[in-house]
Amino acid sequence: MKEYFVYWVKHEIYFRYFYKSDILYRFFLSSQVEDTVYVQEQLDYITYDFSPGASIQQALYQDDSVHIETDQHYLRVVCDSLTTAEETVFSELRHFDSSFFIIEPAANNCGWIAPIIKNDLQSRVHLLYSSF
């Protein structure tokens, strides 16, 4: 069985750390082992909560081949393959938001659910125009 942890990263952190995924990967792995107040505050600062009954959880499809557990800071997805996870969970999350960070601890694998769209980055750049 494959096990994935999905973190919903706040947009500011998403844009700042998109190309530094190894830093987030190491932090999220260590946060699962180290449960201190300091680590919890950091998780609160960089992630959105998966509150019980939230609309995102209601949108996720579960069947016999997919099991989803909810924690305050992450979703734990257990399924038989990456294809199953993609078809049932990840595709729905991609439609909801693009700032989900997924780790697969058993394979030392991580990544974002969707790439940064170049136009979105360009829209964040403030331009000054002159009337001269």
Side-chain angles (χ1 to χ4, degrees):
M1 296 297 274
K2 299 280 187 177
E3 179 182 47
Y4 303 97
F5 292 91
V6 180
Y7 293 87
W8 189 7
V9 178
K10 292 183 180 176
H11 293 118
E12 175 186 343
I13 305 301
Y14 171 68
F15 287 109
R16 185 173 293 160
Y17 286 90
F18 184 82
Y19 294 107
K20 301 173 187 174
S21 58
D22 58 321
I23 295 170
L24 287 176
Y25 176 71
R26 288 192 310 267
F27 171 70
F28 287 138
L29 276 183
S30 68
S31 73
Q32 292 177 357
V33 177
E34 195 178 324
D35 191 22
T36 64
V37 173
Y38 180 70
V39 170
Q40 291 301 312
E41 288 175 352
Q42 287 181 322
L43 281 170
D44 289 339
Y45 182 75
I46 68 170
T47 61
Y48 293 112
D49 288 347
F50 287 106
S51 58
S55 60
I56 190 168
Q57 293 170 320
Q58 295 170 358
L60 297 178
Y61 173 76
Q62 292 189 56
D63 61 11
D64 294 338
S65 63
V66 178
H67 178 72
I68 300 172
E69 293 178 13
T70 306
D71 183 77
Q72 179 183 359
H73 297 289
Y74 61 82
L75 296 176
R76 180 176 172 259
V77 178
V78 179
C79 57
D80 56 355
S81 69
L82 176 60
T83 305
T84 304
E86 173 62 38
E87 291 172 352
T88 57
V89 179
F90 299 160
S91 62
E92 291 298 321
L93 291 175
R94 194 174 289 114
H95 291 299
F96 190 79
D97 197 353
S98 62
S99 63
F100 290 102
F101 190 76
I102 302 169
I103 65 172
E104 183 184 8
N108 290 328
N109 201 3
C110 68
W112 296 98
I113 201 156
I116 285 184
I117 300 170
K118 193 169 190 171
N119 290 339
D120 194 22
L121 278 178
Q122 290 174 346
S123 68
R124 294 183 171 274
V125 176
H126 300 286
L127 299 175
L128 298 176
Y129 293 99
S130 175
S131 60
F132 294 105

